[in-house]
Amino acid sequence: MIFFDNFNNFNNHKQKSHYETLGVAKTAADAEIKRAYFGLVRKYQPDRFPEEFKEIRAAYETLMDRQKRAEYDAIGDLPDSVAPLFHRAQHFDRFGRHDKAAELYQTILKSNPELDKVREYYAKSFLANNKIGKAGEVWEELCRRHPDNAFYARELGNTYLDRGWHKKALSEAQRALALDRSSIDGWILFISAALEDIKKEQNRIDKFEALSVEALEAVKAVKVNEWGKIHLYTYAFIAGDPKKSDVLRGYLREIIRLIREGGRAGQREGLNAFTEILNLPSGELTGFYPELKEMSDLIPDIKDTLAWIRLDAIRLDAEMESLVGKGFPEIFCDLFRILNADDDEEVDEVEILLIEYFILKDKHLYDRHLRRLKEEFPELYDLHRSFFNEALRTRNPEKMMYQRSKKIKKLERESDISDDDSDSEQPIRRAQPKVGRNDPCPCGSGKKYKKCCGA
């Protein structure tokens, strides 16, 4: 890897700090960091200088994030013998070479075991490399050294949760909240770990909802990294009482606000929340379609996901619910419910044919509704366009009725035959093997069967 010196001459002898990379002082304000970044990006464009651009981008993202910058500054006063190794390890981490980074962190800690900030990065390298057990061992060591550190307790709890150790995770979550009750991440860990026990209890939904509301109240005043509350509002919505639609709608409005204000991090958390919510049955979400649609519009990565496809089905459900209120007969709602059934539900063809039959029977009453449907709800109309078009055009509805009546009888006849086949008696099988006439008689007389019992 080539590193650059003041962005004019490059050498491979020194790993630069983020401040040196951007050419700013440690006291630089956000505006100064931003100006330096955009000036360098114009000079070192990603298509011509991809490696240099990655370094510039990594420095910018760290120093523009308040929490990341604080963490970075906290390890800025490393001994001269350690700093080059540490920056080199960070470089490996940034470029996905977490095994190499872990080796360097381990080397630093062997000679400087008191550097717990380096130990944090050591644990994070293991996590990034999906070595959960190794990461857990490092967090356990940090918890032993700092029993009053809520952050270490939360991180240890998360590794336990990732390994499926819910009771251990719950214990660490409780300890973390005892140290810092206003921690959003602490409550997320606590609820996630408690879910396994809540699922086994009879009134689990009530407990889940109460816990979510308690968490939201505890973190009400927290403004740092507020988008983490999206998880808690999602929990509260999923566990909420469907009859309290105004309360549930309020949770969705808060999620929308946090996505809008949270930037890229808010969008990422919003995508997770949206996917979780869309796992609920479509019928429970129909009344919340406007909020769900607004939420999806704020998330760039939502298109072509399964949740997006389900949202489209919810939109149709919402339109169906509004049909009766807009003067459409109930028979249209019945038809669309069948046509828009979930993929795992079997479509009842006979029921569809019956509905078509009755629409044709009273064609003079339904024609105006079909024309309105085509104009006001084109996507619902498209669900059964071929029949609707034919029904509007035909001058002989009796013929169409006869065709459907004939098909219904055929389907019912086939169904009856299938039922008879499944209930019919099985063929009789011999209890004993067949005995030939020249075989020894089964009675044991020693004679041939034809001259004994078979005579």
Side-chain angles (χ1 to χ4, degrees), residues 9 26 37 79 110 115 129 133 138 172 232 241 266 347 402 453-454:
N9 299 305
K26 287 188 177 182
Y37 168 72
K110 279 180 180 178
L115 296 177
N129 214 18
V138 180
E172 288 302 316
L232 301 178
D241 185 349
V347 176
Y402 172 75
C453 297

Side-chain angles (χ1 to χ4, degrees), residues 27-41:
T27 56
D30 288 353
E32 187 179 350
I33 292 170
K34 190 176 287 188
R35 280 197 302 273
Y37 168 72
F38 284 109
L40 290 169
V41 167

Side-chain angles (χ1 to χ4, degrees), residues 15 22 70 135 180 186 194 235 276 282 296 313 340 362 369 388 416 446 455:
Q15 174 68 47
L22 294 181
D180 181 8
Y235 287 145
E276 286 291 322
S282 298
S296 72
N340 201 41
D362 294 318
H369 295 299
F388 290 149
D416 290 341

Side-chain angles (χ1 to χ4, degrees), residues 163-183:
R163 300 182 77 178
W165 298 353
H166 295 92
K167 290 192 181 300
K168 281 190 170 186
L170 185 60
S171 176
E172 288 302 316
Q174 289 170 326
R175 189 166 72 87
L177 287 176
L179 294 167
D180 181 8
R181 186 171 172 77
S182 64
S183 166

Side-chain angles (χ1 to χ4, degrees), residues 176-401:
L177 287 176
L179 294 167
D180 181 8
R181 186 171 172 77
S182 64
S183 166
I184 295 172
D185 291 334
W187 280 105
I188 292 171
L189 170 63
F190 183 70
I191 295 174
S192 301
L195 273 178
E196 288 303 305
D197 289 333
I198 291 174
K199 287 175 184 176
K200 298 171 187 174
E201 299 183 24
Q202 191 169 4
N203 57 341
R204 56 188 182 276
I205 294 298
D206 293 339
K207 288 208 168 190
F208 188 16
E209 182 180 13
L211 191 56
S212 302
V213 172
E214 182 185 358
L216 285 168
E217 187 61 32
V219 303
K220 197 172 190 178
V222 177
K223 296 298 179 185
V224 179
N225 298 335
E226 194 180 13
W227 59 80
K229 293 180 185 177
I230 290 174
H231 283 276
L232 301 178
Y233 281 113
T234 303
Y235 287 145
F237 180 85
I238 291 172
D241 185 349
K243 295 177 183 176
K244 299 177 182 176
S245 58
D246 289 343
V247 174
L248 299 184
R249 190 166 283 108
Y251 295 149
L252 291 181
R253 298 305 314 172
E254 283 300 307
I255 292 174
I256 290 168
R257 176 184 69 81
L258 292 168
I259 295 172
R260 185 177 283 116
E261 296 175 3
R264 186 62 185 164
Q267 292 170 3
R268 184 172 59 251
E269 300 299 338
L271 177 60
N272 294 332
F274 188 80
T275 304
E276 286 291 322
I277 290 171
L278 268 289
N279 280 331
L280 293 171
S282 298
E284 295 181 18
L285 300 174
T286 301
F288 303 105
Y289 173 74
E291 288 77 20
L292 294 172
K293 178 64 170 65
E294 186 176 352
M295 191 189 304
S296 72
D297 289 341
L298 296 172
I299 306 171
D301 300 331
I302 201 70
K303 296 289 177 68
D304 299 325
T305 65
L306 181 60
W308 174 266
I309 296 169
R310 281 181 56 77
L311 180 65
D312 206 42
I314 291 167
R315 176 179 53 76
L316 291 175
D317 282 340
E319 288 187 357
M320 283 186 268
E321 291 292 327
S322 69
L323 285 180
V324 175
K326 294 190 176 183
F328 284 88
E330 187 70 43
I331 194 170
F332 285 98
C333 297
D334 293 338
L335 176 61
F336 291 131
R337 286 191 191 101
I338 299 169
L339 294 172
N340 201 41
D342 292 336
D343 292 339
D344 55 350
E345 293 182 34
E346 188 175 346
V347 176
D348 191 332
E349 190 175 355
V350 170
E351 197 168 348
I352 292 175
L353 290 167
L354 282 170
I355 290 174
E356 291 178 354
Y357 181 92
F358 286 115
I359 289 175
L360 292 164
K361 184 173 180 291
D362 294 318
K363 181 180 181 315
H364 61 290
L365 297 176
Y366 291 124
D367 270 0
R368 66 185 182 89
H369 295 299
L370 287 173
R371 283 191 285 270
R372 271 190 66 204
L373 187 71
K374 186 175 184 178
E375 183 178 342
E376 297 176 25
F377 297 93
E379 293 196 27
L380 286 180
Y381 188 89
D382 284 343
L383 288 177
H384 214 43
R385 170 176 285 275
S386 59
F387 168 73
F388 290 149
N389 284 345
E390 190 179 4
L392 282 171
R393 286 196 305 263
T394 187
R395 295 184 180 180
N396 188 2
E398 291 79 10
K399 180 180 178 181
M400 291 178 66
M401 289 166 61

